[in-house]
Amino acid sequence: MSDELDAARLVGLLAESARRRVVAALVLGASDLDAVGEATGLDRRSVVDAVWRLRDAGLVIDDGDGDGDGSSLWLIEEAFSRAAKASAPRA
């Protein structure tokens, strides 16, 4: 199995509300757990759980240990276009 996210797996990740909110916060510029929590209104545990799941799937890079102590977060936005291209019908 490839490490790349396919469209079905990406949609599955975004099926959960907290993960969608975290992705939205990262798209809009949040770059750490505190900023994501502030932007989403989610409690710390929900933010950490969502970030861990997104990170483990390869959609988020976390330069720390994931507990928020100085960690910076980055969304791999290119994953969306790669998944869309990979699932497009071939002519």
Side-chain angles (χ1 to χ4, degrees):
M1 184 170 153
S2 170
D3 288 340
E4 295 259 335
L5 282 172
D6 62 20
R9 188 164 173 220
L10 188 55
V11 169
L13 282 170
L14 298 177
E16 202 272 321
S17 175
R19 289 193 297 264
R20 277 195 313 274
R21 292 165 70 178
V22 167
V23 167
L26 293 170
V27 166
L28 294 173
S31 61
D32 61 34
L33 294 177
D34 291 334
V36 170
E38 187 175 315
T40 62
L42 295 169
D43 63 78
R44 180 88 166 179
R45 181 79 255 157
S46 296
V47 171
V48 169
D49 288 347
V51 167
W52 282 354
R53 181 77 185 266
L54 296 166
R55 181 197 62 199
D56 290 347
L59 193 57
V60 168
I61 295 172
D62 173 1
D63 72 356
D65 58 11
D67 68 1
D69 294 332
S71 297
S72 293
L73 304 170
W74 294 275
L75 179 68
I76 309 301
E77 293 187 51
E78 185 178 297
F80 294 94
S81 60
R82 286 192 312 236
K85 288 176 187 174
S87 68
R90 304 286 187 247

